[in-house]
Amino acid sequence: MPDETYPSGATVLVVDDAPPNVKLLRLILKDAGYRVLEATSGPEALATLRRDKPDIMVLDVRMPGMTGYQVCREVRDDPEFAALPVIMVTALSLPEERLAGVEAGATDFISKPFNKKELLARVRASLAL
């Protein structure tokens, strides 16, 4: 019987322009039983989203070109993905940053450097919504 702690087969799209961050997130999420997709830019994230239809997105706020806020707004504007859980990852814990994320439609936030248990708990909680 599958372990109910992790949704079996849930797919997480990890979006971050820093390869070490992507690698760390991939290792943590795969180890927890998630299928992981990766994107290193906003446009790549949106293309991957539409092609592979993940169950949740873990999205870095600070990326060159298209920010995480812009990606999140585009996701929310698309009726097919309007309810997709989006967890924003930020190195900044300023209230303005979180407010901008909420306004863009983020489901939740994780601050860098993140705690493995917190990351997994937030992913689980967001998927349960």
Side-chain angles (χ1 to χ4, degrees), residues 90-91 110-115 118:
T90 178
I110 298 175
S111 295
K112 290 179 189 174
F114 50 81
N115 172 293
E118 179 189 12

Side-chain angles (χ1 to χ4, degrees), residues 71-82:
V71 172
C72 194
R73 277 193 287 277
E74 282 212 26
V75 169
R76 292 294 170 244
D77 289 343
D78 186 327
E80 185 177 1
F81 301 107

